[in-house]
Amino acid sequence: FIAQGDAKNVANNRAVSDFDRTHRFSTNFVWDIPTGRMDNAFVKGWSIAGFFQAQSGTPFSVFASEPELATAAQYASTTRGAGGLYRPGFGRPNIICSIDDAVGNYGTGNLDVINPACFTSALGGWGNLGRNTFRGPMQKRFDLSFAKSTKINERMSFELGFDLFNVFNTVNLANPNSDLQDSTDFGTITNSIGGPRVGQFRAKFRF
């Protein structure tokens, strides 16, 4: 594996890890529904449980995979010029905009989020763009479960339940395609993380 950019420039390679989640909040609850003084077997044993999590997106870099110069004119190309002289495994371009201007707001109605006009050729050298400069979209989910437990005797009980994952059918977007070599999908979010809303029934016998 070849490091991105100039391996001798420690400051420009200093960044958070690829798997960094700056913020993550998780909580869960279980509520055994009270029945008061009622001692009916159908009324007793109902419960509701839930799980919620929200977290920051992961960082990512804008780079050119295996840039290679074929002609002198390609030094001016943002893709080819991003390290073409030294041929690093991942070439970095120069950035000429602020971080906020380079990557737009994330949303299902806005999937083209990286502004290619914010990047220019490194002219065959090392670009000034750092590693993991940008951060992808956040993810969140809420799961809910309903259960009815019926006691058969002191040793045995039977439970029926229904679990609902991703209750609000939230679309969690993946990081955008940040490879300058991809002329088709560069800057576009093409994938999502996690699945759609799914429900399942379950049965459990305890003894």
Side-chain angles (χ1 to χ4, degrees):
F1 180 80
I2 303 175
Q4 299 178 23
D6 186 357
K8 297 180 180 179
N9 188 344
V10 178
N12 202 39
N13 280 287
R14 182 180 176 86
V16 295
S17 299
D18 294 345
F19 53 83
D20 177 78
R21 300 278 188 179
T22 304
H23 303 102
R24 172 179 284 169
F25 174 79
S26 297
T27 186
N28 65 285
F29 66 89
V30 178
W31 181 40
D32 293 324
I33 301 176
T35 59
R37 297 181 180 180
M38 299 183 66
D39 197 27
N40 186 289
F42 178 78
V43 176
K44 294 170 59 178
W46 290 93
S47 65
I48 300 175
F51 170 77
F52 174 75
Q53 183 179 80
Q55 59 187 5
S56 304
T58 54
F60 67 91
S61 304
V62 170
F63 63 93
S65 58
E66 294 293 346
E68 182 179 1
L69 291 169
T71 64
Q74 290 180 346
Y75 275 108
S77 166
T78 304
T79 302
R80 298 291 186 179
L85 182 62
Y86 302 107
R87 291 203 59 199
F90 297 92
R92 295 185 197 160
N94 287 323
I95 183 170
I96 57 174
C97 299
S98 67
I99 301 300
D100 292 336
D101 290 335
V103 178
N105 295 324
Y106 298 114
T108 55
N110 181 35
L111 299 179
D112 296 320
V113 293
I114 300 180
N115 181 6
C118 286
F119 305 96
T120 61
S121 173
L123 300 176
W126 308 113
N128 64 9
L129 181 63
R131 183 179 69 86
N132 283 348
T133 305
F134 309 105
R135 188 170 292 275
M138 67 169 292
Q139 290 91 40
K140 57 184 178 180
R141 61 176 292 176
F142 178 58
D143 303 333
L144 201 59
S145 175
F146 304 90
K148 170 67 171 74
S149 181
T150 303
K151 192 172 184 180
I152 301 173
N153 56 37
E154 292 298 326
R155 295 178 55 192
M156 296 182 291
S157 64
F158 185 72
E159 181 180 290
L160 287 175
F162 177 68
D163 303 321
L164 197 58
F165 302 98
N166 194 4
V167 174
F168 300 112
N169 205 28
T170 303
V171 178
N172 290 305
L173 301 174
N175 289 349
N177 187 326
S178 56
D179 185 355
L180 289 163
Q181 292 276 41
D182 191 338
S183 59
T184 302
D185 293 326
F186 172 74
T188 302
I189 297 175
T190 58
N191 292 305
S192 61
I193 297 175
R197 180 171 51 230
V198 175
Q200 69 176 19
F201 288 98
R202 58 182 168 84
K204 183 184 295 184
F205 177 63
R206 294 191 180 94
F207 60 94

PDB file of all heavy atoms in Angstrom, residues 115-140:
ATOM      1  N   ASN A 115     -18.180  19.634  -5.101  1.00  0.00           N
ATOM      2  CA  ASN A 115     -18.037  20.628  -6.157  1.00  0.00           C
ATOM      3  C   ASN A 115     -16.672  20.462  -6.836  1.00  0.00           C
ATOM      4  O   ASN A 115     -15.643  20.814  -6.249  1.00  0.00           O
ATOM      5  CB  ASN A 115     -18.162  22.031  -5.561  1.00  0.00           C
ATOM      6  CG  ASN A 115     -18.054  23.118  -6.616  1.00  0.00           C
ATOM      7  OD1 ASN A 115     -17.996  22.838  -7.812  1.00  0.00           O
ATOM      8  ND2 ASN A 115     -18.008  24.363  -6.170  1.00  0.00           N
ATOM      9  N   PRO A 116     -16.635  19.929  -8.065  1.00  0.00           N
ATOM     10  CA  PRO A 116     -15.337  19.687  -8.722  1.00  0.00           C
ATOM     11  C   PRO A 116     -14.565  20.964  -9.023  1.00  0.00           C
ATOM     12  O   PRO A 116     -13.337  20.929  -9.178  1.00  0.00           O
ATOM     13  CB  PRO A 116     -15.732  18.952 -10.014  1.00  0.00           C
ATOM     14  CG  PRO A 116     -17.165  19.321 -10.248  1.00  0.00           C
ATOM     15  CD  PRO A 116     -17.775  19.516  -8.904  1.00  0.00           C
ATOM     16  N   ALA A 117     -15.258  22.119  -9.070  1.00  0.00           N
ATOM     17  CA  ALA A 117     -14.580  23.382  -9.357  1.00  0.00           C
ATOM     18  C   ALA A 117     -13.678  23.830  -8.213  1.00  0.00           C
ATOM     19  O   ALA A 117     -12.867  24.745  -8.384  1.00  0.00           O
ATOM     20  CB  ALA A 117     -15.619  24.468  -9.662  1.00  0.00           C
ATOM     21  N   CYS A 118     -13.816  23.184  -7.054  1.00  0.00           N
ATOM     22  CA  CYS A 118     -12.997  23.548  -5.896  1.00  0.00           C
ATOM     23  C   CYS A 118     -11.632  22.872  -5.907  1.00  0.00           C
ATOM     24  O   CYS A 118     -10.822  23.101  -5.006  1.00  0.00           O
ATOM     25  CB  CYS A 118     -13.743  23.189  -4.604  1.00  0.00           C
ATOM     26  SG  CYS A 118     -15.102  24.308  -4.209  1.00  0.00           S
ATOM     27  N   PHE A 119     -11.360  22.045  -6.911  1.00  0.00           N
ATOM     28  CA  PHE A 119     -10.096  21.302  -6.952  1.00  0.00           C
ATOM     29  C   PHE A 119      -9.356  21.606  -8.253  1.00  0.00           C
ATOM     30  O   PHE A 119      -9.966  21.678  -9.324  1.00  0.00           O
ATOM     31  CB  PHE A 119     -10.362  19.802  -6.823  1.00  0.00           C
ATOM     32  CG  PHE A 119     -11.153  19.442  -5.606  1.00  0.00           C
ATOM     33  CD1 PHE A 119     -12.528  19.273  -5.688  1.00  0.00           C
ATOM     34  CD2 PHE A 119     -10.530  19.304  -4.377  1.00  0.00           C
ATOM     35  CE1 PHE A 119     -13.279  18.960  -4.569  1.00  0.00           C
ATOM     36  CE2 PHE A 119     -11.270  18.990  -3.246  1.00  0.00           C
ATOM     37  CZ  PHE A 119     -12.649  18.814  -3.334  1.00  0.00           C
ATOM     38  N   THR A 120      -8.063  21.780  -8.134  1.00  0.00           N
ATOM     39  CA  THR A 120      -7.231  22.058  -9.299  1.00  0.00           C
ATOM     40  C   THR A 120      -6.028  21.115  -9.314  1.00  0.00           C
ATOM     41  O   THR A 120      -5.753  20.418  -8.337  1.00  0.00           O
ATOM     42  CB  THR A 120      -6.729  23.514  -9.296  1.00  0.00           C
ATOM     43  OG1 THR A 120      -5.936  23.725  -8.119  1.00  0.00           O
ATOM     44  CG2 THR A 120      -7.890  24.494  -9.309  1.00  0.00           C
ATOM     45  N   SER A 121      -5.328  21.127 -10.415  1.00  0.00           N
ATOM     46  CA  SER A 121      -4.195  20.224 -10.585  1.00  0.00           C
ATOM     47  C   SER A 121      -3.050  20.556  -9.632  1.00  0.00           C
ATOM     48  O   SER A 121      -2.782  21.724  -9.323  1.00  0.00           O
ATOM     49  CB  SER A 121      -3.688  20.310 -12.029  1.00  0.00           C
ATOM     50  OG  SER A 121      -2.496  19.577 -12.180  1.00  0.00           O
ATOM     51  N   ALA A 122      -2.401  19.503  -9.169  1.00  0.00           N
ATOM     52  CA  ALA A 122      -1.181  19.672  -8.370  1.00  0.00           C
ATOM     53  C   ALA A 122       0.041  19.837  -9.258  1.00  0.00           C
ATOM     54  O   ALA A 122       1.168  19.930  -8.763  1.00  0.00           O
ATOM     55  CB  ALA A 122      -0.987  18.466  -7.460  1.00  0.00           C
ATOM     56  N   LEU A 123      -0.187  19.873 -10.574  1.00  0.00           N
ATOM     57  CA  LEU A 123       0.866  20.093 -11.572  1.00  0.00           C
ATOM     58  C   LEU A 123       2.011  19.082 -11.443  1.00  0.00           C
ATOM     59  O   LEU A 123       3.180  19.424 -11.570  1.00  0.00           O
ATOM     60  CB  LEU A 123       1.403  21.526 -11.470  1.00  0.00           C
ATOM     61  CG  LEU A 123       0.359  22.632 -11.692  1.00  0.00           C
ATOM     62  CD1 LEU A 123       0.981  24.002 -11.479  1.00  0.00           C
ATOM     63  CD2 LEU A 123      -0.244  22.514 -13.093  1.00  0.00           C
ATOM     64  N   GLY A 124       1.622  17.854 -11.158  1.00  0.00           N
ATOM     65  CA  GLY A 124       2.610  16.792 -11.078  1.00  0.00           C
ATOM     66  C   GLY A 124       3.285  16.657  -9.736  1.00  0.00           C
ATOM     67  O   GLY A 124       4.116  15.772  -9.555  1.00  0.00           O
ATOM     68  N   GLY A 125       2.934  17.515  -8.779  1.00  0.00           N
ATOM     69  CA  GLY A 125       3.558  17.458  -7.455  1.00  0.00           C
ATOM     70  C   GLY A 125       2.591  16.945  -6.413  1.00  0.00           C
ATOM     71  O   GLY A 125       1.662  16.189  -6.720  1.00  0.00           O
ATOM     72  N   TRP A 126       2.795  17.371  -5.180  1.00  0.00           N
ATOM     73  CA  TRP A 126       1.916  16.962  -4.089  1.00  0.00           C
ATOM     74  C   TRP A 126       0.852  18.038  -3.900  1.00  0.00           C
ATOM     75  O   TRP A 126       1.172  19.198  -3.666  1.00  0.00           O
ATOM     76  CB  TRP A 126       2.689  16.781  -2.785  1.00  0.00           C
ATOM     77  CG  TRP A 126       3.897  15.885  -2.866  1.00  0.00           C
ATOM     78  CD1 TRP A 126       5.201  16.252  -2.725  1.00  0.00           C
ATOM     79  CD2 TRP A 126       3.898  14.488  -3.097  1.00  0.00           C
ATOM     80  NE1 TRP A 126       6.022  15.167  -2.846  1.00  0.00           N
ATOM     81  CE2 TRP A 126       5.241  14.057  -3.088  1.00  0.00           C
ATOM     82  CE3 TRP A 126       2.899  13.536  -3.322  1.00  0.00           C
ATOM     83  CZ2 TRP A 126       5.616  12.740  -3.277  1.00  0.00           C
ATOM     84  CZ3 TRP A 126       3.269  12.214  -3.507  1.00  0.00           C
ATOM     85  CH2 TRP A 126       4.616  11.827  -3.490  1.00  0.00           C
ATOM     86  N   GLY A 127      -0.412  17.684  -3.963  1.00  0.00           N
ATOM     87  CA  GLY A 127      -1.476  18.657  -3.745  1.00  0.00           C
ATOM     88  C   GLY A 127      -1.546  19.089  -2.290  1.00  0.00           C
ATOM     89  O   GLY A 127      -1.052  18.402  -1.386  1.00  0.00           O
ATOM     90  N   ASN A 128      -2.179  20.243  -2.050  1.00  0.00           N
ATOM     91  CA  ASN A 128      -2.251  20.762  -0.679  1.00  0.00           C
ATOM     92  C   ASN A 128      -3.446  20.222   0.108  1.00  0.00           C
ATOM     93  O   ASN A 128      -3.630  20.571   1.275  1.00  0.00           O
ATOM     94  CB  ASN A 128      -2.287  22.297  -0.693  1.00  0.00           C
ATOM     95  CG  ASN A 128      -3.545  22.853  -1.380  1.00  0.00           C
ATOM     96  OD1 ASN A 128      -4.475  22.112  -1.697  1.00  0.00           O
ATOM     97  ND2 ASN A 128      -3.557  24.151  -1.619  1.00  0.00           N
ATOM     98  N   LEU A 129      -4.271  19.412  -0.521  1.00  0.00           N
ATOM     99  CA  LEU A 129      -5.429  18.847   0.179  1.00  0.00           C
ATOM    100  C   LEU A 129      -4.969  17.785   1.167  1.00  0.00           C
ATOM    101  O   LEU A 129      -4.226  16.873   0.817  1.00  0.00           O
ATOM    102  CB  LEU A 129      -6.415  18.242  -0.823  1.00  0.00           C
ATOM    103  CG  LEU A 129      -7.688  17.632  -0.227  1.00  0.00           C
ATOM    104  CD1 LEU A 129      -8.522  18.699   0.464  1.00  0.00           C
ATOM    105  CD2 LEU A 129      -8.505  16.946  -1.310  1.00  0.00           C
ATOM    106  N   GLY A 130      -5.421  17.891   2.409  1.00  0.00           N
ATOM    107  CA  GLY A 130      -5.022  16.953   3.439  1.00  0.00           C
ATOM    108  C   GLY A 130      -5.756  15.627   3.349  1.00  0.00           C
ATOM    109  O   GLY A 130      -6.621  15.418   2.499  1.00  0.00           O
ATOM    110  N   ARG A 131      -5.414  14.724   4.254  1.00  0.00           N
ATOM    111  CA  ARG A 131      -6.051  13.413   4.315  1.00  0.00           C
ATOM    112  C   ARG A 131      -7.302  13.478   5.186  1.00  0.00           C
ATOM    113  O   ARG A 131      -7.315  14.116   6.226  1.00  0.00           O
ATOM    114  CB  ARG A 131      -5.069  12.383   4.893  1.00  0.00           C
ATOM    115  CG  ARG A 131      -5.611  10.961   4.946  1.00  0.00           C
ATOM    116  CD  ARG A 131      -4.562  10.009   5.502  1.00  0.00           C
ATOM    117  NE  ARG A 131      -4.307  10.234   6.917  1.00  0.00           N
ATOM    118  CZ  ARG A 131      -5.017   9.677   7.904  1.00  0.00           C
ATOM    119  NH1 ARG A 131      -6.045   8.883   7.614  1.00  0.00           N
ATOM    120  NH2 ARG A 131      -4.716   9.923   9.159  1.00  0.00           N
ATOM    121  N   ASN A 132      -8.366  12.808   4.754  1.00  0.00           N
ATOM    122  CA  ASN A 132      -9.631  12.766   5.500  1.00  0.00           C
ATOM    123  C   ASN A 132     -10.104  14.161   5.897  1.00  0.00           C
ATOM    124  O   ASN A 132     -10.501  14.420   7.031  1.00  0.00           O
ATOM    125  CB  ASN A 132      -9.496  11.872   6.742  1.00  0.00           C
ATOM    126  CG  ASN A 132      -9.539  10.403   6.394  1.00  0.00           C
ATOM    127  OD1 ASN A 132      -9.892  10.029   5.276  1.00  0.00           O
ATOM    128  ND2 ASN A 132      -9.193   9.554   7.339  1.00  0.00           N
ATOM    129  N   THR A 133     -10.057  15.065   4.936  1.00  0.00           N
ATOM    130  CA  THR A 133     -10.448  16.452   5.182  1.00  0.00           C
ATOM    131  C   THR A 133     -11.954  16.600   5.342  1.00  0.00           C
ATOM    132  O   THR A 133     -12.428  17.475   6.080  1.00  0.00           O
ATOM    133  CB  THR A 133      -9.979  17.332   4.008  1.00  0.00           C
ATOM    134  OG1 THR A 133      -8.567  17.154   3.831  1.00  0.00           O
ATOM    135  CG2 THR A 133     -10.265  18.803   4.266  1.00  0.00           C
ATOM    136  N   PHE A 134     -12.713  15.753   4.684  1.00  0.00           N
ATOM    137  CA  PHE A 134     -14.173  15.887   4.663  1.00  0.00           C
ATOM    138  C   PHE A 134     -14.831  14.784   5.491  1.00  0.00           C
ATOM    139  O   PHE A 134     -14.219  13.772   5.796  1.00  0.00           O
ATOM    140  CB  PHE A 134     -14.675  15.834   3.218  1.00  0.00           C
ATOM    141  CG  PHE A 134     -13.951  16.780   2.296  1.00  0.00           C
ATOM    142  CD1 PHE A 134     -13.009  16.308   1.392  1.00  0.00           C
ATOM    143  CD2 PHE A 134     -14.199  18.144   2.346  1.00  0.00           C
ATOM    144  CE1 PHE A 134     -12.335  17.174   0.556  1.00  0.00           C
ATOM    145  CE2 PHE A 134     -13.530  19.021   1.511  1.00  0.00           C
ATOM    146  CZ  PHE A 134     -12.587  18.532   0.618  1.00  0.00           C
ATOM    147  N   ARG A 135     -16.086  15.020   5.824  1.00  0.00           N
ATOM    148  CA  ARG A 135     -16.837  14.025   6.601  1.00  0.00           C
ATOM    149  C   ARG A 135     -18.155  13.731   5.907  1.00  0.00           C
ATOM    150  O   ARG A 135     -18.855  14.640   5.446  1.00  0.00           O
ATOM    151  CB  ARG A 135     -17.081  14.514   8.027  1.00  0.00           C
ATOM    152  CG  ARG A 135     -17.694  13.439   8.932  1.00  0.00           C
ATOM    153  CD  ARG A 135     -17.690  13.870  10.385  1.00  0.00           C
ATOM    154  NE  ARG A 135     -16.352  13.940  10.943  1.00  0.00           N
ATOM    155  CZ  ARG A 135     -15.695  12.917  11.466  1.00  0.00           C
ATOM    156  NH1 ARG A 135     -16.258  11.710  11.486  1.00  0.00           N
ATOM    157  NH2 ARG A 135     -14.487  13.058  11.969  1.00  0.00           N
ATOM    158  N   GLY A 136     -18.479  12.444   5.854  1.00  0.00           N
ATOM    159  CA  GLY A 136     -19.691  12.004   5.182  1.00  0.00           C
ATOM    160  C   GLY A 136     -20.953  12.259   6.000  1.00  0.00           C
ATOM    161  O   GLY A 136     -20.901  12.781   7.121  1.00  0.00           O
ATOM    162  N   PRO A 137     -22.105  11.880   5.458  1.00  0.00           N
ATOM    163  CA  PRO A 137     -23.387  12.130   6.130  1.00  0.00           C
ATOM    164  C   PRO A 137     -23.553  11.291   7.394  1.00  0.00           C
ATOM    165  O   PRO A 137     -23.020  10.192   7.498  1.00  0.00           O
ATOM    166  CB  PRO A 137     -24.419  11.738   5.072  1.00  0.00           C
ATOM    167  CG  PRO A 137     -23.703  10.801   4.158  1.00  0.00           C
ATOM    168  CD  PRO A 137     -22.288  11.242   4.139  1.00  0.00           C
ATOM    169  N   MET A 138     -24.296  11.833   8.352  1.00  0.00           N
ATOM    170  CA  MET A 138     -24.571  11.116   9.589  1.00  0.00           C
ATOM    171  C   MET A 138     -25.578   9.997   9.344  1.00  0.00           C
ATOM    172  O   MET A 138     -26.249   9.964   8.300  1.00  0.00           O
ATOM    173  CB  MET A 138     -25.139  12.073  10.646  1.00  0.00           C
ATOM    174  CG  MET A 138     -26.518  12.613  10.313  1.00  0.00           C
ATOM    175  SD  MET A 138     -27.303  13.478  11.693  1.00  0.00           S
ATOM    176  CE  MET A 138     -27.599  12.118  12.830  1.00  0.00           C
ATOM    177  N   GLN A 139     -25.666   9.067  10.293  1.00  0.00           N
ATOM    178  CA  GLN A 139     -26.645   7.980  10.219  1.00  0.00           C
ATOM    179  C   GLN A 139     -27.443   7.937  11.520  1.00  0.00           C
ATOM    180  O   GLN A 139     -26.920   8.264  12.584  1.00  0.00           O
ATOM    181  CB  GLN A 139     -25.960   6.630  10.007  1.00  0.00           C
ATOM    182  CG  GLN A 139     -25.332   6.440   8.636  1.00  0.00           C
ATOM    183  CD  GLN A 139     -23.897   6.862   8.589  1.00  0.00           C
ATOM    184  OE1 GLN A 139     -23.131   6.622   9.512  1.00  0.00           O
ATOM    185  NE2 GLN A 139     -23.488   7.507   7.507  1.00  0.00           N
ATOM    186  N   LYS A 140     -28.694   7.529  11.387  1.00  0.00           N
ATOM    187  CA  LYS A 140     -29.536   7.353  12.579  1.00  0.00           C
ATOM    188  C   LYS A 140     -30.555   6.254  12.307  1.00  0.00           C
ATOM    189  O   LYS A 140     -30.918   5.993  11.160  1.00  0.00           O
ATOM    190  CB  LYS A 140     -30.252   8.652  12.951  1.00  0.00           C
ATOM    191  CG  LYS A 140     -31.115   9.237  11.854  1.00  0.00           C
ATOM    192  CD  LYS A 140     -31.701  10.575  12.273  1.00  0.00           C
ATOM    193  CE  LYS A 140     -32.521  11.185  11.141  1.00  0.00           C
ATOM    194  NZ  LYS A 140     -33.096  12.496  11.522  1.00  0.00           N
TER     195      LYS A 140
END
